[in-house]
Amino acid sequence: MIRRLLSVSSAAALAGAAVITPAQAVAAVPAAAVAPALISAPLNSLPAAPTVQPVSDPPGPGAGRDSSGRRVPAAVQGRLRGTVVAKTKGISWVRCGAAQCTTVQVPLDYAKPAAGTVDLTVSRRPADNPKGRIGLLFTNPGGPGGPAAYTVGTFAQVLGRDARARFDIIGVNPRGTGDDQPALCEGKPGQKVPDDPGWVFPTNAAQVTAQLAIDAFNRGLCKNSKPAILSHMSSGDSARDIDAVRAALGERRINYYGISYGSHLGATYSQLFPRRVRTMVVDGTLDSVAWTTGRGDAARTPMTARLGSQLGAQDALMSAIGECERLGPRYCAEHKTIRADWAQLRKLKTAPIKLADDFYITYDVIVALTLGGLYDPEGVPDVLTMIHMFATMAKEGSTPAKQSVTQARLAYQVVQHRDEVNRRTRLGYNPPAAAEEEEPPATPMYFASFTGVVCDDGVGPADPQAWVRSAAIADRKAPGFGSLWTWSSSICAGWPFHSTGVYRGSFTKRAAGGLLIMNSTHDPATPYSGALKMRLLRPDSRIVTVPGWGHSVQDTSGCASRVRRDYLISGALPKRDRTCAHDHALFTRLN
């Protein structure tokens, strides 16, 4: 649920050339992540998008109230007369791996359907048992900015055999992502570009100044190049796209499974089109009120600070440390020092760790590596080992023992390798990470697939200094994580693009098929508190709580998977909220 920065190759880095530096843009999904979805069918080979004609839907929501009772005026909600596309004949599919792919053309602006169109890549994995087919199951892996057409195969594995048999599993690339008219801001050839800041988030006053400068430069690239898609990238627009695809495929209702940001996209769809929801599952659940308007005067705070993700990350790490201490040496070798080890690493703000010639680990990088490790529950023990090894080096000062350097390097490589694998294979896995150093392009570019959604959906301050203040406040309760999450949206200060189709609440409307909420209790990105708030917002919902770690539940709990399966197939919510155990313990016994 955060902008994606390219991960660095461990081997290249340890051979390499400089302090780890992050990309200052949202990176595209790695080529390996496309398999098996589109690897055998280049996008330029997809069938031409069918022409569709918009038809009127019932009027959109008027003035409502957020969950705190505060009135949200229609102007804030972006009230408009909603439209969907009419059922379209003649959709032609091509083979793309184990799936089928096509393009569907939808209005760029649903308020002005004649003002242009957008081509969306759609992938479909047909039901294994056509005679028992129930309908369409739309999926979204999060981001925002994750191209859902590329992850249908992974969703099919997570959802399990029974769901694969009964549903056509669908992925629709959100507008501005993937190769579908990407949200790309370009400058002029030879244009002077600010120096790459060289960090995941700033840790001192000089870095803050440089970060604000690069944010202003990238905003300027977008403002001057004016990609048309950037004025139509809100979650409301993407929810209407899902309904357009539903209509084009000739279905009356949808089923839906969304992870991380995909939970908010699903919640938005259920409010715009409540009668068209047969079933809806949200996993790793965002607080949609915090994502959009906030409560009370929270609009003065950046959205990425008011979400509370930093508190989720802090809780995930501290609770894992507490579990390590509780279990002791037979399960966790670092149990005696791990709490002090984490505190020790704050010194990296002024004294980076040298792992190899011209290769250093800085404080912001260790925070990002730790957060990424917390996304995957099976990687948490390796994260604690890495923290311990880095702390050992830090204690030894400028001349650490050779053995300490070797052990720290190995621990880093283990965590980094898991990160690289997870980015290709794990749904909802897109934490920030360091980037490979690259020569700047002749023409400066900024990929805004994350920014275009976040800055439009969330009401926030226009003053860049709000991010400086909010990061400092967030760090008081979640050192490091507060800055990391807050700064992830700093480009939104004064963002010049706003969609007429944005939807910012309310989020209390009942959907025909209800809502099933899933969350682990120690989620580092979408904290359990967000799931509880969604449960309270939606009286037609049930929650499946999984005590444990990791970002989203997915297939980590057989019990939770059965609850999800039964709901999707029967269409009936469980009679009560459920608690399900993780299948695998966080720490296994050491021999």
Side-chain angles (χ1 to χ4, degrees), residues 120-123 138-140 146-149 152 170-174 241-242 245:
L120 302 177
T121 297
V122 179
S123 63
F138 284 79
T139 58
N140 184 277
V152 163
I170 305 291
V172 180
N173 275 1
D241 289 343
I242 290 173
V245 173

Side-chain angles (χ1 to χ4, degrees), residues 180-243:
D180 305 313
Q181 296 167 257
L184 174 63
C185 305
E186 294 185 88
K188 298 178 180 179
Q191 183 177 356
K192 186 177 180 180
V193 179
D195 291 337
D196 186 341
W199 49 77
V200 181
F201 59 87
T203 57
N204 58 49
Q207 291 179 357
V208 165
T209 299
Q211 182 65 57
L212 296 180
I214 194 70
D215 288 341
F217 177 81
N218 286 330
R219 271 195 309 273
L221 287 181
C222 294
K223 185 175 182 180
N224 293 330
S225 60
K226 297 182 176 64
I229 196 66
L230 279 182
S231 293
H232 307 283
M233 279 187 66
S234 74
S235 295
D237 294 304
S238 289
R240 292 178 177 91
D241 289 343
I242 290 173
D243 203 61

Side-chain angles (χ1 to χ4, degrees), residues 13 17 32 103 137 194 217 230 233 244 246 251 256 277 301 309 339 358 383 432 518 525 543 555 560:
T103 55
L137 174 52
F217 177 81
L230 279 182
M233 279 187 66
R246 172 205 62 78
E251 297 282 341
Y256 180 88
V277 176
T301 302
S309 296
R339 193 174 297 271
D358 296 322
V383 168
M518 303 174 70
I543 187 169
D555 55 0

Side-chain angles (χ1 to χ4, degrees), residues 32 34 48 115 137 239 243 246 277 318 325 437-438 474 504:
V34 177
L137 174 52
D243 203 61
R246 172 205 62 78
V277 176
M318 292 298 107
E325 293 169 332
E437 280 204 337
E438 297 178 352
R504 299 195 179 110

Side-chain angles (χ1 to χ4, degrees), residues 22-23 125 157 246 274 364 430 483 554 582:
R125 185 189 187 280
Q157 296 304 310
R246 172 205 62 78
D364 54 301
N430 58 349
S483 283
Q554 298 188 42
H582 254 291

Side-chain angles (χ1 to χ4, degrees), residues 547-558:
W549 291 262
H551 178 37
S552 70
V553 176
Q554 298 188 42
D555 55 0
T556 60
S557 166

Side-chain angles (χ1 to χ4, degrees), residues 403-422:
Q403 182 180 9
S404 299
V405 176
T406 300
Q407 290 176 335
R409 186 182 301 168
L410 177 60
Y412 165 81
Q413 289 174 322
V414 168
V415 172
Q416 187 67 22
H417 176 70
R418 183 181 289 274
D419 176 80
E420 292 172 347
V421 171
N422 279 334

Side-chain angles (χ1 to χ4, degrees), residues 18-19 21 48 61 88 94 135 244 247 277 305 324 328 339 372 382 387 525 545 555 584:
V19 176
T21 58
T88 303
V94 298
V277 176
C324 171
R339 193 174 297 271
D382 291 334
I387 290 171
T545 299
D555 55 0
H584 190 69

